[in-house]
């Protein structure tokens, strides 16, 4: 948050005065854009015009047939909010090319925009001027989905703004699916590919990866893509197939390019089961490697995918256990659509009331908040008969809706071998518990959201069923050739209520601990691109030593010199030498 902003992280002034009724206040005290203010709707196109006109300078010579409007922007946690930014809505990829050449000619930058369900400054930077920035909304028109079920492998070709919901629904209609899906289906495919999105999927012991699937990132499913790149004289569309080494940096690209179309492989759809447990003490669940009992590790071995949600200051995390189940187990409830935990997507008033109190100067409510979240979960699972559900892969894997709590999130990925899952989680849980109890003893509650622990596989070359040049260059799930035994990514995340005093300092302490602890011959640590990282004492994404040092180094260590962080940066600059697709933060991260 910049020093000039208020405690909720934004100023409403500009947009509210620009268009009465342009925002709707939600139950949580936030707002969502309702009406956009089109470029040519108001009398004056001048900067700061009074009387309801646009508040930003009108972009010069903007292509007349591409829709452009001033709109609000907000990221997921509402920690990056802009009252008003020019937002274009191209009708096709040709419009994106024209926009890019226009932006280049007048010194503007473009930021591709999907569902805005993220935390990072990879779209817009809090506090930075947006006078010469155009967001490009891909969700309205660039959202086509075509499945080629007869291909070998079967594929789906999607526009960048197609949602995971839309793509997996189309795949399911043809008997196809994906084994490793992020939790919300509302995300756009290009937004996901920018940050190597993933789910909580692993094979059980002895289970093989079915052809067409991957337990790594969605980026590892790409067979080809089209992006807008500089061809020496102008920006133009160019297609890359997976066996072209040049595609590798584009597979996970942090938004430093503009994808206009992508084709991804898919595998046969399958039935899954998800069982929930809320009766295992965290000390047992997160016991060290090799411990007996109902450990996280044991559930992975027997079933595959596992996620623990550990509410603050509670004893028993909510454990979800996913398994492949071709026929419905007698005790399971069949579900025919996704989002089967409505109690966590639509929180009762008791929970949101506590949130409000924490935000308004009573951070000590955190333990009560944690307990209330836990009891809400236990009661919700029982009331909806959702402790054991069974259905198609997407219906079991998607479980977060946009109505869930808008929390901030930080952490990262430990890359290691499967046999270390228990130890990694144990070390973190013990450290985390000790630290929050320490702060509690001082009357401080810097962290008040749940811990979220998941695992998935890596971007294995063997999973790709077309000729391939290899894994995405800067995916956190990229395998390390010097450690072929590393096959697992363990995602350690903690959530918090935006605005909590001391929260980012705590995240910083946690990140530093993870970086120093998960190192050596057994582990390496990488950021989760979509979440919080490079925590400074007061804000995320501000630790220059991590942004320019440790983080790039994590994509040099153990990787070939001709295919690492530096070659990715060089490729982004080759494809976009004029930095049309960048912003001030990306200029620092990817110079
Ligand atoms: C509640 C919640 C739960 C989540 N759960 C998961 C999860 O389970 N697993 C997981 O991996 N992630 C998860 N995420 C993170 C999510 O995957 C990322 O934030 C993702 O980038 C969001 O996609 P989006 O459509 O909202 O993209 P946006 O936030 O709009 O954009 C994200 C980035 O993608 C870039 N981008 C968008 N379109 C293009 C394009 N056409 N070409 C190039 N770059 C483009 C943007 O410029 C930006 O840099 C979650 C996020 C939230 C809020």
């Amino acid at each position: 948050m910049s020093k000039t902003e208020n405690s909720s992280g934004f100023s409403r002034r500009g947009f509210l005065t620009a268009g009465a009724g342009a925002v709707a206040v939600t139950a949580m005290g936030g707002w969502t854009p309702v009406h956009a203010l089109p470029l040519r709707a108001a009398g004056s196109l001048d900067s700061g015009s009074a009387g309801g006109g646009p508040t930003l300078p009108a972009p010069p010579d903007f292509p007349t047939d591409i829709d452009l409007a001033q709109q609000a922007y907000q990221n997921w946690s509402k920690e990056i909010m802009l009252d008003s930014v020019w937002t274009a809505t191209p009708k096709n990829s040709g419009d994106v090319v024209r926009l890019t050449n226009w932006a280049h000619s007048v010194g503007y930058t473009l930021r591709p925009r999907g569902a805005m369900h993220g935390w990072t400054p990879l779209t817009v930077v809090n506090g930075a001027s947006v006078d010469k920035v155009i967001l490009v909304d891909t969700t309205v028109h660039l959202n086509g989905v075509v499945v080629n079920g007869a291909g070998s492998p079967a594929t789906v070709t999607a526009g960048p703004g197609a949602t995971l919901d839309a793509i997996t629904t189309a795949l399911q209609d043809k008997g196809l699916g994906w084994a490793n899906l992020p939790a919300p289906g509302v995300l756009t495919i290009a937004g996901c590919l920018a940050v190597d999105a993933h789910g909580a999927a692993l094979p059980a012991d002895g289970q093989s990866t079915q052809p067409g699937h991957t337990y790594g990132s969605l980026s590892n499913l790409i067979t080809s893509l089209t992006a807008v790149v500089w061809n020496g004289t102008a920006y133009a569309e160019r297609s890359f197939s997976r066996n072209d080494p040049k595609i590798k940096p584009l597979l996970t690209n942090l938004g430093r390019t503009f994808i206009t179309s992508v084709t991804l492989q898919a595998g046969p759809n399958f039935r899954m089961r998800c069982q929930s447990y809320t009766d295992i003490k965290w000390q047992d669940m997160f016991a060290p490697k090799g411990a007996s009992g109902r450990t996280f590790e044991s559930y992975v071995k027997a079933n595959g995918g596992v996620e623990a949600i550990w509410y603050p200051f509670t004893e028993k995390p909510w454990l979800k256990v996913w398994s492949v189940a071709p026929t419905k187990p007698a005790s399971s409830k069949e579900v025919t659509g996704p989002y089967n935990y409505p109690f966590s997507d639509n929180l009762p008033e008791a929970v949101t009331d506590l949130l409000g109190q924490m935000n308004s100067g009573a951070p000590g409510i955190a333990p009560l908040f944690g307990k209330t979240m836990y009891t809400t979960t236990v009661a919700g699972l029982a009331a909806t008969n959702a402790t054991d559900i069974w259905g198609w892969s997407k219906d079991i894997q998607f479980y977060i809706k946009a109505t869930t709590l808008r929390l901030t999130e930080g952490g990262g990925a430990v890359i290691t071998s499967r046999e270390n899952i228990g130890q990694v989680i144990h070390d973190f849980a013990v450290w985390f518990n000790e630290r929050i109890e320490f702060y509690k003893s001082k009357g401080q509650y810097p962290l008040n959201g749940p811990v979220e622990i998941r695992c998935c596989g890596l971007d294995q070359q063997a999973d790709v069923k077309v000729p391939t040049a290899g894994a995405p260059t800067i995916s956190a799930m990229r395998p390390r050739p010097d450690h072929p035994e590393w096959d697992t990514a363990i995602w350690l995340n903690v959530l918090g209520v935006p605005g909590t005093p001391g929260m980012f300092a705590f995240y910083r302490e946690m990140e530093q601990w993870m970086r120093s602890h998960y190192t050596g011959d057994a582990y390496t640590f990488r950021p989760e691109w979509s979440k919080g990282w490079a925590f400074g004492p007061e804000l995320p994404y501000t630790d220059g030593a991590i942004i320019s040092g440790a983080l790039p180094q994590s994509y040099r260590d153990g990787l070939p010199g001709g295919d690492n962080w530096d070659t990715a940066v060089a490729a982004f600059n080759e494809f976009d030498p004029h930095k049309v697709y960048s912003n001030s933060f990306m200029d620092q991260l990817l110079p």
Side-chain angles (χ1 to χ4, degrees), residues 76 112 114-119 122-123 160 183-184 188 191 194 197-198 257 259 454:
W76 172 257
M116 301 182 282
H117 280 199
W119 289 268
L122 294 172
T123 306
T188 66
H198 61 89
T257 188
I259 306 285
R454 304 187 285 175

Side-chain angles (χ1 to χ4, degrees), residues 258-270:
F258 203 122
I259 306 285
T260 51
S261 174
V262 61
T263 301
L264 307 105
Q265 67 182 36
N269 202 10
F270 56 96

Side-chain angles (χ1 to χ4, degrees), residues 76 111-119 122-123 138 160 182-184 187-188 190-192 194-198 253-255 257-259 400 404 454 528 530-531:
W76 172 257
R111 302 303 308 126
R113 203 205 81 182
M116 301 182 282
H117 280 199
W119 289 268
L122 294 172
T123 306
T138 61
L187 311 176
T188 66
C192 286
V195 296
D196 59 25
H198 61 89
N253 56 63
L254 305 183
T257 188
F258 203 122
I259 306 285
I400 292 183
T404 197
R454 304 187 285 175
E528 182 167 11
S530 64
K531 311 250 163 90

Side-chain angles (χ1 to χ4, degrees), residues 368-434:
L368 180 58
F369 179 61
K371 283 181 181 56
T372 310
M373 296 282 285
Y374 173 76
T375 48
T376 300
T377 300
V378 175
L381 284 168
T384 58
N385 188 20
T387 45
D388 184 354
I389 59 173
W390 177 86
W392 288 113
S393 59
K394 77 173 176 59
D395 296 338
I396 299 296
Q397 291 184 83
F398 288 144
Y399 60 88
I400 292 183
K401 270 186 165 173
T403 47
T404 197
L405 279 184
R406 300 246 168 179
L407 300 178
T408 198
E409 187 159 356
V414 180
I415 310 301
T416 186
S417 48
R418 186 176 164 98
E419 64 176 24
N420 291 329
I421 290 174
Q423 198 59 45
V424 167
I425 296 175
H426 172 76
D427 290 1
F428 173 65
V430 170
W431 178 87
F432 180 82
N433 185 61
E434 190 277 319

